[in-house]
């Protein structure tokens, strides 16, 4: 199986590579369009700020490539947020894959939300063998509200989308690569979709 991690200068690449390796696979880090198109699975990572991350995608032409991909694609954290219509962070226009706008927590909670939280309302093969209220690891100040494409929720003062899915596109607000056994199972599930 050919697994590609899209390289556009986003953080958390090494931890994703190590998590994939623990599952017995190798992942290639690349920004090469043909290599990304030919992958069996694509991981779209992200740690950082939305507008500068989107600018890097635009500079490399990856902003037009990602929405056209036909194989399973997993956006992680900022990667998921960039797959949405827009983000309040830096007034950023997104890739428009998920029909929701990303907004900042403004309900009196401390931001960023850092640490372990529960996911529930699990609705996808991505969560096979995962129990409701399993714990996952998050670091974020912005979130996607619950929408038609929500496949898992989490709460931080309000309930929000912990994961999204539309067709072959999946997104997790949390970091499966840092979420211990639960995250490992979610990555394994993604690779078997």
């Amino acid at each position: 199986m050919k697994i590609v991690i899209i390289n556009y200068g986003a953080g958390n690449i090494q931890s994703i590579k190590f998590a994939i390796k623990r599952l017995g696979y190798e992942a290639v880090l690349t920004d090469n369009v043909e290599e990304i198109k030919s992958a069996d699975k694509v991981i779209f990572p992200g740690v950082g700020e939305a507008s500068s991350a989107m600018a890097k995608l635009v500079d490399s032409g990856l902003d037009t490539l990602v929405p056209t991909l036909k194989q399973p694609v997993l956006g992680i954290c900022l990667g998921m947020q960039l797959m949405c219509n827009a983000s309040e962070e830096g007034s950023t226009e997104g890739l428009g894959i998920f029909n929701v706008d990303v907004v900042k927590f403004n309900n009196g909670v401390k931001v960023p939300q850092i640490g372990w939280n529960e996911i529930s309302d699990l609705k996808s093969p991505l969560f096979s063998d995962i129990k409701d209220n399993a714990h996952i690891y998050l670091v974020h100040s912005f979130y996607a509200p619950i929408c038609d494409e929500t496949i898992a929720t989490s709460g931080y003062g309000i309930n929000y989308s912990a994961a999204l899915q539309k067709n072959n596109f999946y997104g997790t607000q949390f970091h499966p690569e840092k979420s211990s056994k639960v995250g490992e199972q979610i990555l394994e599930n993604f690779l078997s979709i």
Side-chain angles (χ1 to χ4, degrees):
M1 178 172 13
K2 183 176 177 186
I3 304 164
V4 159
I5 301 170
I6 296 177
N7 183 13
Y8 67 104
N12 83 320
I13 304 295
Q14 286 308 320
S15 50
I16 294 172
K17 282 185 90 168
F18 290 140
I20 299 292
K21 197 175 181 81
R22 283 194 299 273
L23 294 172
Y25 303 97
E26 290 294 328
V28 178
L29 179 63
T30 184
D31 60 359
N32 180 285
V33 169
E34 292 312 314
E35 198 157 15
I36 295 168
K37 278 186 183 171
S38 70
D40 298 304
K41 302 287 187 312
V42 175
I43 297 175
F44 182 39
V47 167
E49 191 272 331
S51 61
S52 55
M54 184 54 80
K56 288 177 186 169
L57 284 174
V58 170
D59 286 347
S60 60
L62 295 173
D63 62 316
T64 55
L65 171 69
V66 173
T68 68
L69 295 173
K70 301 294 181 221
Q71 66 275 68
V73 177
L74 176 64
I76 296 174
C77 193
L78 179 60
M80 180 195 95
Q81 293 183 359
L82 293 175
M83 293 162 79
C84 296
N85 285 335
S87 174
E88 281 185 358
E89 186 176 26
S91 298
T92 306
E93 189 175 326
L95 298 175
I97 295 165
F98 301 126
N99 189 25
V100 64
D101 291 348
V102 173
V103 294
K104 186 168 189 168
F105 284 114
N106 64 356
N107 53 342
V109 295
K110 185 178 170 208
V111 293
Q113 177 188 8
I114 300 176
W116 295 88
N117 205 348
E118 296 178 347
I119 49 170
S120 50
D121 308 311
L122 310 177
K123 296 183 193 127
S124 165
L126 194 62
F127 299 110
S128 292
D129 300 319
I130 304 291
K131 289 182 170 62
D132 239 26
N133 303 318
H135 285 82
I136 41 79
Y137 186 80
L138 298 127
V139 182
H140 64 126
S141 301
F142 295 79
Y143 68 93
I146 291 172
C147 62
D148 289 345
E149 293 151 352
T150 301
I151 55 168
T153 63
S154 196
Y156 192 56
I158 51 155
N159 284 341
Y160 62 87
S161 295
L164 298 169
Q165 180 188 348
K166 181 179 182 181
N167 303 324
N168 57 309
F169 293 96
Y170 300 80
T172 61
Q173 181 57 64
F174 58 91
H175 288 273
E177 77 282 6
K178 294 181 179 171
S179 297
S180 193
K181 289 285 181 206
V182 169
E184 201 167 270
Q185 180 66 55
I186 290 167
L187 285 172
E188 182 83 78
N189 291 343
F190 172 69
L191 296 179
S192 64
I193 287 171

